[in-house]
Amino acid sequence: MPLPSPATHLTPEESAFHAFYAQERPALDHACAFYMALLQSLLSQARHIDIAKIEGRVKDRDECLRKFSRKYRAALEESGAPYEIRPYITDLIGVRVVCLYEDELEKVAQIVQSHFDVIDVTDKVSALEGTEASFGYKGLHLDLRLNAVQAALPENAAYAAQPFELQVRTIIQDAWSVLDHKIKYKKSIPAELKRRINVLSALFELADREFRQIRDATDAELLYAPDETTEAETEPSRTPAPGSELNAFTFLKIARHFFKDVEFDAQKVDLFVDDMRAWSPGITRARFNTLMRETIATVKRYKQFYEAQNPEGSFNPFTVIRHCLYLGDRQAFRRALRNSSREAFEAWLQENPTLI
């Protein structure tokens, strides 16, 4: 004789929650998508916050029941008072925002609090840092609902009464949380295993801190790099003095002087500076600046000519720099231009000798 289905042993309260969940699941899915889109819109407008991803889900029905049983059932049944399960599940909808750096968690929280009412906050970072013996996931959890201003908007009316849980993590915290969930029996594992896990947890935390400090150091390099526009040229044949070499930071300092409204892509800058070093080993930031100052006026005139002749062509800032380098030192930077580009540029220069 087959065993009875577990559904036949549901309590009245569990049966009521099953019915509620089945009826509300489509609306919960819509609300989850709405909150994800709203957060994406709000955070995309924020400056100095790098969002890696935003994701969300509706909590599984049986997962909700397990959480309720673990946290609330015993006390409620002990009291003997009638109860419903639904009010105790505040995270039916969960949305996760994953940032790049740890100091962005609070920035995200501040933006969120200006558009939502905060029902509850769980700061797992502070909770774990308050004890030396604990290890595990760190992050910021907020139970939220739309504030009065957002709820009053007609397009938001359907979601005004629906709370959700927001988890804000860094990429490192997110990775640790995945691994953390795979560690079994964390409450009673042997001391040696607990020590090893603590070491791993500390390494993840150190990685978070190091990434932030590297970002800050990078920003400082860009902010406080010397003003190349007033630095004298270093002879290319001499050994570069310490600190005079061309790198991504000094390249950007110079490039932003000549292209004030251009946002240079970091990866392209890295590759381009690497190419420049291959074309002219030992190139200094001063020499790069001198080559740009001496040739950019001519190259800008050629750019106007080129774009008039080739409306669909591309002559972006990197192309301008390539032509400046070539014009400034044809031998060293011959490889900066393709054969066809070099021939077209030379033909234009011969036709316009007074512009050189």
Coordinates of all heavy atoms in Angstrom, one line a residue, residues 193-232:
L193 N 38.2 22.3 11.8 CA 37.5 22.7 10.6 C 37.0 24.1 10.7 O 37.0 24.8 9.8 CB 36.4 21.7 10.3 CG 36.8 20.3 9.8 CD1 35.5 19.4 9.6 CD2 37.6 20.4 8.5
K194 N 36.5 24.4 11.9 CA 36.0 25.7 12.1 C 37.1 26.8 12.0 O 36.9 27.8 11.4 CB 35.3 25.9 13.5 CG 34.7 27.2 13.8 CD 34.0 27.3 15.1 CE 32.7 26.4 15.1 NZ 31.9 26.6 16.3
R195 N 38.3 26.4 12.5 CA 39.4 27.4 12.3 C 39.7 27.6 10.8 O 40.0 28.7 10.4 CB 40.6 26.8 13.1 CG 41.8 27.8 13.1 CD 43.0 27.1 13.7 NE 43.6 26.2 12.7 CZ 44.3 26.5 11.6 NH1 44.6 27.7 11.4 NH2 44.8 25.5 10.8
R196 N 39.7 26.5 10.0 CA 40.1 26.6 8.6 C 39.0 27.4 7.9 O 39.3 28.2 7.0 CB 40.2 25.2 8.0 CG 41.4 24.4 8.5 CD 41.3 23.0 8.2 NE 41.3 22.8 6.7 CZ 41.1 21.6 6.1 NH1 41.0 20.5 6.9 NH2 41.1 21.5 4.8
I197 N 37.7 27.3 8.3 CA 36.7 28.0 7.6 C 36.8 29.5 8.0 O 36.6 30.4 7.2 CB 35.3 27.5 8.0 CG1 35.1 26.1 7.4 CG2 34.2 28.4 7.4 CD1 33.9 25.3 7.9
N198 N 37.2 29.8 9.2 CA 37.4 31.2 9.6 C 38.5 31.8 8.8 O 38.5 33.0 8.5 CB 37.7 31.2 11.1 CG 36.5 31.3 12.0 OD1 35.5 31.9 11.6 ND2 36.6 30.7 13.2
V199 N 39.6 31.0 8.5 CA 40.7 31.6 7.7 C 40.2 31.9 6.3 O 40.5 33.0 5.8 CB 41.8 30.5 7.6 CG1 42.8 30.9 6.6 CG2 42.5 30.4 9.0
L200 N 39.4 31.0 5.7 CA 38.8 31.3 4.4 C 37.9 32.5 4.4 O 38.0 33.4 3.6 CB 38.0 30.1 3.9 CG 38.7 28.9 3.3 CD1 37.8 27.8 3.0 CD2 39.5 29.4 2.1
S201 N 37.1 32.7 5.5 CA 36.2 33.8 5.6 C 37.0 35.1 5.7 O 36.7 36.1 5.1 CB 35.3 33.7 6.8 OG 34.5 34.8 7.0
A202 N 38.1 35.0 6.4 CA 39.0 36.2 6.6 C 39.6 36.6 5.2 O 39.8 37.8 4.9 CB 40.1 36.0 7.6
L203 N 40.0 35.6 4.4 CA 40.6 35.8 3.1 C 39.6 36.5 2.2 O 39.9 37.4 1.4 CB 41.1 34.5 2.5 CG 42.3 33.9 3.1 CD1 42.6 32.6 2.5 CD2 43.5 34.8 3.0
F204 N 38.3 36.1 2.2 CA 37.3 36.7 1.4 C 37.1 38.2 1.9 O 37.0 39.1 1.0 CB 36.0 36.0 1.5 CG 35.8 34.9 0.6 CD1 36.5 33.7 0.8 CD2 35.0 35.0 -0.5 CE1 36.4 32.6 -0.1 CE2 34.9 34.0 -1.5 CZ 35.6 32.8 -1.2
E205 N 37.1 38.4 3.2 CA 37.0 39.8 3.7 C 38.2 40.6 3.3 O 38.0 41.8 2.9 CB 36.8 39.7 5.2 CG 36.5 41.1 5.8 CD 36.3 41.0 7.3 OE1 36.0 39.9 7.8 OE2 36.4 42.0 8.0
L206 N 39.3 40.1 3.4 CA 40.5 40.8 2.9 C 40.5 41.1 1.5 O 40.9 42.3 1.1 CB 41.8 40.0 3.2 CG 43.1 40.6 2.8 CD1 43.4 41.9 3.6 CD2 44.3 39.6 3.1
A207 N 40.0 40.2 0.6 CA 39.9 40.5 -0.8 C 38.9 41.7 -1.0 O 39.2 42.5 -1.9 CB 39.4 39.2 -1.5
D208 N 37.8 41.7 -0.3 CA 36.9 42.8 -0.4 C 37.6 44.2 -0.1 O 37.4 45.2 -0.9 CB 35.7 42.6 0.5 CG 34.4 42.6 -0.2 OD1 34.3 43.1 -1.3 OD2 33.4 42.1 0.4
R209 N 38.3 44.2 0.9 CA 39.0 45.4 1.4 C 40.1 45.8 0.4 O 40.3 47.0 0.0 CB 39.6 45.2 2.8 CG 40.2 46.4 3.4 CD 40.6 46.1 4.8 NE 39.5 45.5 5.6 CZ 39.6 44.8 6.7 NH1 40.8 44.5 7.2 NH2 38.5 44.3 7.3
E210 N 40.8 44.8 -0.1 CA 41.9 45.1 -1.1 C 41.4 45.7 -2.4 O 41.9 46.6 -3.0 CB 42.7 43.8 -1.4 CG 43.7 43.4 -0.2 CD 44.8 44.5 0.0 OE1 45.4 44.9 -1.0 OE2 44.9 45.0 1.1
F211 N 40.3 45.1 -2.9 CA 39.7 45.6 -4.1 C 39.3 47.1 -4.0 O 39.5 47.9 -4.8 CB 38.5 44.8 -4.5 CG 38.8 43.6 -5.3 CD1 38.5 42.3 -4.9 CD2 39.4 43.7 -6.6 CE1 38.8 41.2 -5.6 CE2 39.8 42.6 -7.3 CZ 39.5 41.3 -6.8
R212 N 38.7 47.4 -2.8 CA 38.3 48.8 -2.6 C 39.5 49.7 -2.5 O 39.5 50.8 -3.1 CB 37.5 48.9 -1.2 CG 37.2 50.3 -0.9 CD 36.3 50.4 0.4 NE 36.9 49.7 1.5 CZ 37.9 50.2 2.3 NH1 38.3 51.4 2.0 NH2 38.3 49.5 3.3
Q213 N 40.6 49.3 -1.8 CA 41.8 50.1 -1.7 C 42.5 50.2 -3.0 O 43.1 51.3 -3.3 CB 42.7 49.5 -0.6 CG 42.1 49.6 0.8 CD 43.0 48.9 1.9 OE1 44.0 48.2 1.5 NE2 42.7 49.1 3.1
I214 N 42.5 49.2 -3.8 CA 43.1 49.3 -5.2 C 42.3 50.3 -6.0 O 42.8 51.2 -6.7 CB 43.1 48.0 -5.9 CG1 44.2 47.1 -5.2 CG2 43.4 48.1 -7.4 CD1 44.2 45.7 -5.7
R215 N 40.9 50.3 -5.9 CA 40.1 51.3 -6.6 C 40.5 52.7 -6.1 O 40.6 53.6 -6.9 CB 38.6 51.0 -6.3 CG 37.7 52.0 -7.0 CD 36.4 52.1 -6.2 NE 36.6 52.6 -4.8 CZ 35.7 52.6 -3.9 NH1 34.5 52.2 -4.2 NH2 36.0 53.1 -2.7
D216 N 40.6 52.9 -4.8 CA 40.9 54.2 -4.3 C 42.3 54.7 -4.7 O 42.5 55.9 -5.1 CB 40.9 54.2 -2.7 CG 39.4 54.0 -2.2 OD1 38.5 54.2 -3.0 OD2 39.3 53.6 -1.0
A217 N 43.3 53.8 -4.8 CA 44.6 54.1 -5.2 C 44.6 54.5 -6.7 O 45.3 55.4 -7.1 CB 45.6 53.0 -5.0
T218 N 43.8 53.8 -7.5 CA 43.7 54.1 -8.9 C 43.1 55.5 -9.1 O 43.6 56.3 -9.9 CB 42.8 53.0 -9.6 OG1 43.4 51.8 -9.5 CG2 42.6 53.4 -11.1
D219 N 42.0 55.8 -8.4 CA 41.4 57.1 -8.5 C 42.4 58.2 -8.0 O 42.4 59.3 -8.6 CB 40.2 57.2 -7.6 CG 39.0 56.3 -8.1 OD1 39.1 55.9 -9.3 OD2 38.1 56.0 -7.3
A220 N 43.2 57.9 -7.0 CA 44.2 58.9 -6.5 C 45.2 59.1 -7.6 O 45.7 60.3 -7.8 CB 44.8 58.4 -5.2
E221 N 45.7 58.1 -8.3 CA 46.7 58.2 -9.3 C 46.1 59.2 -10.4 O 46.8 60.0 -10.9 CB 47.0 56.9 -9.9 CG 47.9 56.0 -9.1 CD 49.3 56.4 -9.2 OE1 49.6 57.3 -10.0 OE2 50.2 55.8 -8.5
L222 N 44.9 59.0 -10.8 CA 44.3 59.8 -11.8 C 44.1 61.2 -11.4 O 44.3 62.2 -12.2 CB 43.0 59.2 -12.3 CG 43.0 57.9 -13.0 CD1 41.6 57.3 -13.3 CD2 43.8 58.1 -14.4
L223 N 43.8 61.4 -10.1 CA 43.5 62.7 -9.6 C 44.8 63.6 -9.4 O 44.8 64.8 -9.7 CB 42.7 62.6 -8.3 CG 42.2 63.9 -7.6 CD1 41.3 64.6 -8.6 CD2 41.6 63.6 -6.3
Y224 N 45.8 62.9 -8.9 CA 47.0 63.6 -8.5 C 48.2 63.4 -9.4 O 49.3 63.8 -9.1 CB 47.4 63.3 -7.1 CG 46.3 63.6 -6.1 CD1 45.6 62.6 -5.4 CD2 46.0 64.9 -5.8 CE1 44.6 62.9 -4.5 CE2 45.0 65.2 -4.9 CZ 44.3 64.2 -4.3 OH 43.3 64.5 -3.4
A225 N 48.0 62.9 -10.6 CA 49.1 62.7 -11.5 C 49.6 64.1 -11.9 O 48.8 65.1 -12.0 CB 48.6 62.0 -12.8
P226 N 50.9 64.2 -12.2 CA 51.5 65.6 -12.5 C 50.8 66.1 -13.8 O 50.3 65.4 -14.6 CB 52.9 65.2 -12.8 CG 53.2 63.9 -12.2 CD 51.9 63.2 -12.2
D227 N 50.8 67.5 -13.9 CA 50.2 68.1 -15.0 C 51.2 68.0 -16.2 O 52.2 68.7 -16.2 CB 50.0 69.6 -14.7 CG 49.3 70.3 -15.8 OD1 49.1 69.7 -16.9 OD2 48.9 71.5 -15.7
E228 N 51.0 67.1 -17.1 CA 51.9 66.8 -18.2 C 52.0 68.0 -19.2 O 53.0 68.1 -19.9 CB 51.4 65.6 -19.0 CG 51.2 64.4 -18.1 CD 52.4 63.9 -17.4 OE1 53.5 64.2 -17.9 OE2 52.3 63.3 -16.3
T229 N 51.1 68.9 -19.2 CA 51.1 70.0 -20.2 C 52.2 71.0 -20.0 O 52.5 71.8 -20.8 CB 49.7 70.7 -20.3 OG1 49.5 71.3 -19.0 CG2 48.6 69.7 -20.6
T230 N 52.8 71.0 -18.8 CA 53.8 71.9 -18.5 C 55.2 71.2 -18.3 O 56.2 71.9 -18.0 CB 53.5 72.7 -17.2 OG1 53.4 71.8 -16.1 CG2 52.2 73.4 -17.3
E231 N 55.2 69.9 -18.5 CA 56.5 69.2 -18.2 C 57.3 69.2 -19.5 O 56.9 69.0 -20.6 CB 56.1 67.7 -17.8 CG 57.4 66.9 -17.4 CD 57.0 65.6 -16.9 OE1 55.9 65.4 -16.4 OE2 57.8 64.7 -16.9
A232 N 58.6 69.4 -19.3 CA 59.6 69.4 -20.4 C 59.7 68.0 -21.0 O 59.6 67.0 -20.3 CB 60.9 70.0 -20.0

